[in-house]
């Protein structure tokens, strides 16, 4: 039996077509890696191609290692001569041999992000550029984007026109490249840029590699940027045996510089190209695939194709619109526990996907409460992220300045010019005199300890003392907002302007949501109580010694993965797609978001549950959002919107809808003020001492009832949650 007998007809066509340009449009779960590896084996076994003349290139080391392993298993002897590598690793190998042809030493250094930042910082200082207004990372991001598009410093300067900021960045870019050359160094982007420069300027070197790589394979072609496209085009120009594999419907990395036109315009660049579509999916049920097809069909900038499978119809896609984000997290946790108890799935079989990392906070808390082991992929525990740890350190210092670890963490955050030597002197003095670190900072003799640095420390101490005094009378949320304002922490991130900074701002917004929520849930909330609640969550670092845990991740991180059951949460207009995408009015931005939704749906093998919340806290404010427009693009007959509460294993507060009402939900106003209007009852049907039931807190005894002008204030001692005070109109207590 031949190794090619297990391929379907379209896969065989892709494997057996060996000469000339070939575009393999490989839909999600269609076996693209199998096709690539079998094609390489076919070239060697049946076509007599020397392994030395074959190249396979991809994006990540993990993908390259997987491809290498599968090629070795198929080809056997001689497979070590096949060039299997990432783009950047390939370029390093080439440049190590020939970069001297363009004026660099072959022993060049590769700068990492911190090296880049340090160099940019020194250049800005020399050019007298205020890095408080134009951050180093913002400059680095702009330079990286320019290099991805093969835009030189001089060209960038010319295109800046009258834009002062771009002109300034161009000046730094010019000096930055000069310094790199002087230091015989390349940054990560230069590895590709300089290789392309080498090929363009030295025909002999280019011809050597064109002769070496007679058959070129590129995986994940939809993720290539402009400079990667040029690199591949130059290598393939002579023999034209270029095979690219990708799926335009899974192009989701525009923010990293990916250019979807590379795959959409492949036949225009290579007019004699053969296009083969792999549409048979080996991963998911037909209901899941048809849902994905229904969504992605609304994109205009795509190659026409439709995924199908012979696996079977499977379960319908479950959709729930739920009251709040907290209830949404509870429902997901409850459903997971139900699957575990029934023995249907293990924890490792399930994943929870979301649009932004900030959404993980509520999910993490609910999973911990439900004792569900989990792991965050593509991020770290919410409370372990740098910006959150920084803010917590400030709040800990305000609440209890004896926490030396907290004080030392933020004494120079944001930067105040307080160096390591100064901190070392303070630590030594504190140890010798058995004092807390912060007490030394307040000492009248501080100038004798640290000299002129005392003048930099005093504003920090004054800030902490002021906020410590105010925290006694102010709400925690007010303390937080003043802290962010006075320290300039948030403004610094805004000025940075990078994708990383934007994500950190989102996380700080989510932390503010946590504070507001804590205040709403407690009658007289204190800072110490808040820190205690957070500590009980943040200190749970070990999840499970085995790999049997639920995975939490952003959709971007999930690309290439698959799970038996997928939970896709936060499907609301304003969150997914985002307000920024909606307000931009740019069709290409909306199509990128739709592709992201397509990727999320196609991660599911057997079951998919999609949820949205009517009410969610964003940026410290409660918002009422419509159901995501992407839900409306899923054919109604594929949606299960009327599954019983009992079957889901969740509380009675879950709202269910029949299929025809989904459109009505989408088209109605997100927030009806009359719906939330307080109406005081003439009397209550329960008294002090009665047993009552609350929709969230369960059973409790009424402790007191106080009649106010607009409503009754009821105090209830709940069995599991302790004493709570609430307004009767909102509480909707039921006498038992």
């Amino acid at each position: 039996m031949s190794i090619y007998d297990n391929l379907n007809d379209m896969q065989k066509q892709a494997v057996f077509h060996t000469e000339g340009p070939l575009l393999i449009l490989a839909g999600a779960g269609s076996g693209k890696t199998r096709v690539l590896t079998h094609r390489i084996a076919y070239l060697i076994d049946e076509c007599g191609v020397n392994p030395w003349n074959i190249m396979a290139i991809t994006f990540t080391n993990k993908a390259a290692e997987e491809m290498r392993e599968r090629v070795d298993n198929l080809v056997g002897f001689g497979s070590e001569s096949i060039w299997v590598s990432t783009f950047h690793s390939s370029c390093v190998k080439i440049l190590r041999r020939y970069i001297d042809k363009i004026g660099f030493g072959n022993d060049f250094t590769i700068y990492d992000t911190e090296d880049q930042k340090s160099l940019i910082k020194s250049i800005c200082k020399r050019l007298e550029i205020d890095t408080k207004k134009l951050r180093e990372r913002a400059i680095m991001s702009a330079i990286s984007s320019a290099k991805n598009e093969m835009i030189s410093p001089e060209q960038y300067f010319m295109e800046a026109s009258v834009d002062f900021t771009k002109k300034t960045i161009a000046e730094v870019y010019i000096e930055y490249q000069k310094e790199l050359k002087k230091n015989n160094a390349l940054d990560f982007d230069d590895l590709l840029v300089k290789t392309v420069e080498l090929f363009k300027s030295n025909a002999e070197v280019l011809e050597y590699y064109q002769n070496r790589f007679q058959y070129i394979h590129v995986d994940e072609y939809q993720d290539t940027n402009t400079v990667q496209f040029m690199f591949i085009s130059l290598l393939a120009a002579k023999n034209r045996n270029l095979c690219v594999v990708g799926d335009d419907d899974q192009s989701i990395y525009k923010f990293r510089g990916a250019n979807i036109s590379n795959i959409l315009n492949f036949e225009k660049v290579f007019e004699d190209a053969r296009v083969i579509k792999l549409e048979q999916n080996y991963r998911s049920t037909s209901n899941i695939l048809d849902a994905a097809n229904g969504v992605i069909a609304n994109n205009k900038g795509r190659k026409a194709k439709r995924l199908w499978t012979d696996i079977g119809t499977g379960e319908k896609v479950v959709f729930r619109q739920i009251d709040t984000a907290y209830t949404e997290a509870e429902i997901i946790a409850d459903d997971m526990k139900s699957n575990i108890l029934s023995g249907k799935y293990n924890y490792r079989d399930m994943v929870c996907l979301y649009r932004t990392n900030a959404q993980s906070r509520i999910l993490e808390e609910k999973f911990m409460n439900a004792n569900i082991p989990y792991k965050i992929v593509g991020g770290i525990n919410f409370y372990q992220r740098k910006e959150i740890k920084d803010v917590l350190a400030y709040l800990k210092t305000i609440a209890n300045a004896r926490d030396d670890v907290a004080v030392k963490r933020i004494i120079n955050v944001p930067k105040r010019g307080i160096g390591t030597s100064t901190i070392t002197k303070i630590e030594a003095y504190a140890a010798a005199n058995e004092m807390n670190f912060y007490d030394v900072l307040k000492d009248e003799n501080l100038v004798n300890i640290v000299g002129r640095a005392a003048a930099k420390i005093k504003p920090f101490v004054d800030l902490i003392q002021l906020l410590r005094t105010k925290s006694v009378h102010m709400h925690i949320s007010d303390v937080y907002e003043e802290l962010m304002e006075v320290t300039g922490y948030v403004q610094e991130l805004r000025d940075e302007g990078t994708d990383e900074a934007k994500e950190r701002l989102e996380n700080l917004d989510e932390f503010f949501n946590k504070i507001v929520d804590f205040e709403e849930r407690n009658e007289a909330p204190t800072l110490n109580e808040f820190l205690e609640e957070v500590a009980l969550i943040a200190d749970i670092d070990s999840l499970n010694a085995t790999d049997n845990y639920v995975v939490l991740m952003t959709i971007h991180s999930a690309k290439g993965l698959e799970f038996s059951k997928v939970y896709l949460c936060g499907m609301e207009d304003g969150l997914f797609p985002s307000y920024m995408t909606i307000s931009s009015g740019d069709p290409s931005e909306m199509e990128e978001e739709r592709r992201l939704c397509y990727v999320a749906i196609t991660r599911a093998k057997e079951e998919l549950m999609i949820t949205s919340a009517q009410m969610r806290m964003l940026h410290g404010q409660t918002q009422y959002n419509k159901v995501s427009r992407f839900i409306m693009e899923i054919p109604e007959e594929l949606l299960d919107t009327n599954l019983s509460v009992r079957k889901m294993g969740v509380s009675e507060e879950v709202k269910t809808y029949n299929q025809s009402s989904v459109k009505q939900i989408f088209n109605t106003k997100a927030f009806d003020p009359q719906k939330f209007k307080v109406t005081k009852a003439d009397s209550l049907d329960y008294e002090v001492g009665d047993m009552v039931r609350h929709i969230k807190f369960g059973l409790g005894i009424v402790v007191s009832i106080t009649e106010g002008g607009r409503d009754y204030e009821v105090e209830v001692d709940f069995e599991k949650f302790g004493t709570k005070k609430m307004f009767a109109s909102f509480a909707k207590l039921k006498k038992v």
Side-chain angles (χ1 to χ4, degrees), residues 647-659:
K647 186 176 178 182
M648 290 182 66
V650 297
S651 60
E652 292 291 335
E653 61 188 299
V654 183
K655 290 189 175 182
T656 58
Y657 300 87
N658 58 40
Q659 293 174 354

Side-chain angles (χ1 to χ4, degrees), residues 302-525:
R302 65 184 293 263
K303 304 277 190 181
K305 55 187 172 298
R306 185 176 182 85
L307 293 178
W308 64 275
T309 185
D310 57 11
I311 292 176
T313 304
E315 301 284 341
K316 287 188 176 183
V317 175
V318 175
F319 169 65
R320 293 289 175 272
Q321 186 187 36
I322 301 158
D323 288 345
T324 69
Y326 284 93
T327 309
E328 177 188 48
E330 286 177 353
I331 286 172
I332 291 172
D334 286 348
D335 191 59
M336 286 181 174
K337 293 294 283 188
S338 177
N339 285 322
I340 294 298
L341 292 172
S342 67
K344 189 172 187 179
Y345 297 121
N346 286 313
Y347 289 116
R348 69 173 71 90
D349 300 322
M350 299 179 285
V351 66
C352 187
L353 302 180
Y354 37 77
R355 180 63 181 84
T356 66
N357 272 317
Q359 289 172 255
S360 73
R361 195 266 298 175
I362 296 175
L363 291 162
E364 287 183 68
E365 292 185 9
K366 298 303 180 184
F367 284 14
M368 287 177 184
N369 291 339
N371 292 319
I372 295 175
Y374 71 91
K375 181 178 181 180
I376 295 180
V377 176
I380 58 174
N381 181 292
F382 182 85
Y383 294 104
Q384 295 301 313
R385 292 168 181 145
K386 179 187 181 302
E387 58 277 15
I388 305 302
K389 288 180 72 70
D390 286 345
V391 175
L392 281 171
Y394 265 109
L395 294 178
K396 288 177 182 177
T397 302
I398 293 168
N400 175 22
R402 291 177 296 177
D403 188 340
D404 287 357
V405 174
V407 178
K408 282 188 279 188
R409 180 181 179 90
I410 45 89
I411 189 174
N412 198 40
V413 177
K415 294 189 183 302
R416 301 181 174 89
I418 302 170
T420 305
S421 61
T422 299
I423 293 173
T424 302
K425 290 175 183 177
I426 296 171
E427 287 177 325
Y429 187 88
N433 294 274
E434 298 183 351
M435 297 173 65
N436 291 111
F437 189 91
Y438 187 77
D439 290 335
V440 179
L441 301 183
K442 295 189 298 178
D443 197 295
E444 295 179 355
N445 298 316
L446 183 62
V447 68
N448 297 326
I449 303 169
V450 298
R452 289 181 294 178
K456 300 174 182 177
I457 293 173
K458 187 177 185 304
F460 170 75
V461 173
D462 290 343
L463 167 65
I464 298 299
Q465 290 298 103
L466 175 64
L467 291 176
R468 292 194 74 187
T469 301
K470 288 187 173 184
S471 67
V472 178
H473 309 288
M474 291 172 64
H475 291 298
I476 307 168
S477 54
D478 293 332
V479 172
Y480 171 86
E481 288 187 300
E482 182 161 346
L483 171 65
M484 293 293 97
E485 176 68 26
V486 176
T487 60
Y489 196 103
V490 168
Q491 190 59 50
E492 186 176 83
L493 289 173
R494 287 174 181 159
D495 292 341
E496 188 174 306
T498 63
D499 289 328
E500 181 183 357
K502 291 175 183 176
E503 183 169 316
R504 288 185 172 182
L505 286 169
E506 290 175 353
N507 291 333
L508 287 174
D509 279 338
E510 183 60 20
F511 184 77
F512 185 52
N513 292 343
K514 169 66 179 176
I515 294 174
V516 174
D517 173 67
F518 178 82
E519 290 177 331
E520 291 177 351
R521 287 188 287 107
N522 292 272
E523 180 184 357

Side-chain angles (χ1 to χ4, degrees), residues 617-714:
M617 192 176 290
L618 296 170
H619 313 296
Q621 295 182 341
T622 299
Q623 295 186 8
Y624 302 86
N625 298 321
K626 293 180 179 180
V627 173
S628 170
R629 61 195 64 196
F630 299 148
I631 300 299
M632 299 305 303
E633 295 171 353
I634 298 176
E636 285 188 20
E637 64 272 15
L638 303 177
L639 289 174
D640 178 351
T641 58
N642 200 29
L643 194 64
S644 71
V645 175
R646 290 183 184 276
K647 186 176 178 182
M648 290 182 66
V650 297
S651 60
E652 292 291 335
E653 61 188 299
V654 183
K655 290 189 175 182
T656 58
Y657 300 87
N658 58 40
Q659 293 174 354
S660 62
S661 66
V662 176
K663 288 183 179 179
Q664 183 180 350
I665 294 168
F666 183 82
N667 292 323
T668 54
K669 291 182 179 179
F671 172 50
D672 182 359
Q674 296 300 317
K675 181 180 177 182
F676 294 90
K677 186 177 180 180
V678 176
T679 303
K680 182 181 177 182
D682 295 332
S683 62
L684 301 176
D685 59 0
Y686 49 83
E687 299 176 350
V688 173
D690 285 345
M691 175 77 74
V692 293
R693 182 188 298 277
H694 185 269
I695 197 169
K696 179 175 182 180
F697 300 126
L699 295 176
I701 302 294
V702 178
V703 177
S704 67
I705 299 175
T706 305
E707 184 174 358
R710 300 178 61 186
D711 202 356
Y712 294 94
E713 186 180 84
V714 184

